[in-house]
Amino acid sequence: MGQKKDLTGSEKSKIVRYLAEGCSSLKIAKLLKRDHRTIKCFIQNSQQGRKKRVEKPRRKITAHELRKVKRAAAKMPLATSLAIFQSCNITGVPKSTRCAILRDMAKVRKAERRPPLNKTHKLKRQDWAKKYLKTDFSKVLWTDEMRVSLDGPDGWARGWIGKGQRAPVRLRRRQGGGGVLVCAGIIKDELVGPFRVEDGVKLNSQSYCQFLEDTFFKQWYRKKSASFKKNMIFMQDNAPSHASKYSTVWLARKGIKEEKLMTWPPCSPDLNPIENLWSIIKCEIYKEGKQYTSLNSVWEAVVAAARNVDGEQIKTLTESMDGRLLSVLAKKGGYIGR
């Protein structure tokens, strides 16, 4: 004979109600069409009540052990409380106590996404800041690429839900759904682009230069006056396809060479104002946990969000460069807040 199903929540509620009305266990079994022994067992267990939990004496932490924990936390960033205490050979401490102790000497933080800066990086960032300290940044075209996915960055699908409301269902994809690579530039108060890299195209030196030719140069640069072209400075980061000899020679043939091609320090996304533009666009297209069903739909959302960015916002970003350079020098080449 197969095992009988457990009582459901509604059945348990009915049993309590029938007992309050003075019904016997046998009558309740007939009303619910359940075995009499099942009903009697539930009533007996309910009358016994819950057993009181016996509090175990907590292990006391000495001052010497606290110092060991503090040193271990400093040596083991992002480690769990259990790993930190085990490294100090401290056992028998519950998780709540471990976390309470660590809160007095540490904080739970996420890993830094920015690459670490060594001494050479910091020196090059300082040299770059000194070189361009007197530059008119309204003449600099700041360029960069951004990849957008169908679902947005991890952790963005959170927000306040009203009482009594259910959280919306979020799609889950087995293969991620891919993404769109977007390129753009900003200069003074003007947004150049955005431009979409063709799906499946990997940007090496040749494809990168061809992409610049088809977008920045044909659609924007050729329409500018001779005086504008003479004074414009082109900025790009040190991605392999950007900094290669092929790309450098190709840009030189376009007249972008020497002082017209800005040198860029390593590991410096915080110095590029267009990174802030990407943040504005991503906040807009992924607000309220927005998801997309196709690459074309997310691209259309990027274009719409870019159109909503006005010239004053872009001007604020490009005019922030003087302050960024001073911050780099003040921090001796260290990262600045964006």
Side-chain angles (χ1 to χ4, degrees):
M1 183 181 291
Q3 188 176 358
K4 296 287 185 179
K5 291 183 179 179
D6 293 334
L7 291 169
T8 64
S10 62
E11 287 177 327
K12 291 177 182 178
S13 300
K14 289 178 181 179
I15 293 171
V16 174
R17 188 172 72 251
Y18 289 146
L19 287 172
E21 294 173 357
C23 297
S24 65
S25 59
L26 183 60
K27 186 177 180 180
I28 295 172
K30 290 180 179 178
L31 289 171
L32 297 180
K33 298 180 181 179
R34 297 297 297 257
D35 188 80
H36 183 213
R37 289 169 294 182
T38 303
I39 304 298
K40 283 183 67 176
C41 184
F42 171 75
I43 294 172
Q44 289 172 359
N45 291 339
S46 301
Q47 290 173 347
Q48 287 177 0
R50 294 183 179 180
K51 294 181 179 179
K52 291 185 178 180
R53 190 177 68 175
V54 179
E55 289 287 341
K56 296 180 180 179
R58 293 194 173 186
R59 187 188 187 288
K60 291 184 179 180
I61 306 297
T62 65
H64 175 65
E65 287 176 330
L66 282 176
R67 290 193 293 271
K68 289 174 67 177
V69 169
K70 189 173 183 179
R71 287 195 295 269
K75 291 179 181 178
M76 303 168 61
L78 303 180
T80 62
S81 62
L82 180 61
I84 292 172
F85 275 72
Q86 284 180 342
S87 69
C88 303
N89 294 322
I90 303 174
T91 58
V93 182
K95 183 179 179 180
S96 58
T97 304
R98 296 196 305 264
C99 293
I101 292 170
L102 288 171
R103 280 192 207 102
D104 294 333
M105 61 183 72
K107 289 183 179 180
V108 177
R109 299 181 64 181
K110 290 184 178 180
E112 288 285 344
R113 293 187 176 184
R114 298 185 292 193
L117 295 175
N118 58 34
K119 187 177 180 180
T120 303
H121 295 155
K122 292 180 179 180
L123 288 174
K124 287 185 177 181
R125 283 164 61 91
Q126 290 180 79
D127 292 341
W128 178 85
K130 292 174 183 176
K131 177 179 179 180
Y132 291 102
L133 199 56
K134 296 182 179 180
T135 301
D136 182 1
F137 289 111
S138 66
K139 294 180 171 60
V140 178
L141 174 65
W142 307 93
T143 67
D144 194 29
E145 298 92 29
M146 166 187 71
R147 180 169 290 278
V148 291
S149 65
L150 299 180
D151 301 326
D154 293 339
W156 280 36
R158 294 186 179 186
W160 293 99
I161 303 293
K163 290 184 178 179
Q165 292 182 325
R166 294 185 63 183
V169 177
R170 190 161 176 82
L171 297 175
R172 302 182 70 178
R173 302 173 218 275
R174 294 190 177 185
Q175 303 299 330
V180 176
L181 186 61
V182 181
C183 295
I186 55 174
I187 181 169
K188 197 175 181 179
D189 59 354
E190 182 182 359
L191 171 62
V192 184
F195 304 111
R196 177 179 178 177
V197 178
E198 187 178 345
D199 297 341
V201 173
K202 185 177 180 181
L203 285 185
N204 53 30
S205 300
Q206 290 80 7
S207 59
Y208 171 66
C209 293
Q210 186 60 50
F211 178 79
L212 289 180
E213 175 66 29
D214 296 337
T215 54
F216 284 99
F217 284 93
K218 284 185 178 180
Q219 300 182 35
W220 179 77
Y221 188 70
R222 287 182 181 179
K223 300 176 184 178
K224 296 297 180 180
S225 64
S227 60
F228 176 90
K229 295 177 182 178
K230 182 180 179 181
N231 296 318
M232 191 200 79
I233 300 173
F234 185 80
M235 173 271 156
Q236 59 182 1
D237 60 25
N238 294 321
S241 60
H242 301 176
S244 67
K245 185 177 179 181
Y246 180 95
S247 299
T248 303
V249 172
W250 186 88
L251 286 170
R253 290 202 300 267
K254 294 288 183 180
I256 298 176
K257 56 185 178 180
E258 299 173 353
E259 294 302 317
K260 292 194 65 180
L261 180 61
M262 178 178 281
T263 57
W264 193 248
C267 305
S268 299
D270 57 323
L271 299 181
N272 192 348
I274 200 173
E275 294 285 353
N276 300 86
L277 175 68
W278 296 144
S279 298
I280 293 170
I281 291 176
K282 284 185 176 180
C283 285
E284 177 63 25
I285 66 175
Y286 296 124
K287 66 181 179 181
E288 300 176 359
K290 175 76 174 177
Q291 289 181 289
Y292 299 89
T293 56
S294 67
L295 298 181
N296 287 334
S297 62
V298 72
W299 164 244
E300 290 169 2
V302 170
V303 173
R307 286 175 182 165
N308 290 332
V309 179
D310 58 38
E312 284 301 316
Q313 287 178 286
I314 297 172
K315 189 176 180 181
T316 300
L317 296 180
T318 55
E319 288 183 347
S320 69
M321 287 309 302
D322 291 321
R324 295 183 193 227
L325 267 63
L326 293 174
S327 296
V328 169
L329 294 174
K331 293 192 175 185
K332 297 181 179 180
Y335 278 124
I336 63 173
R338 286 191 284 169

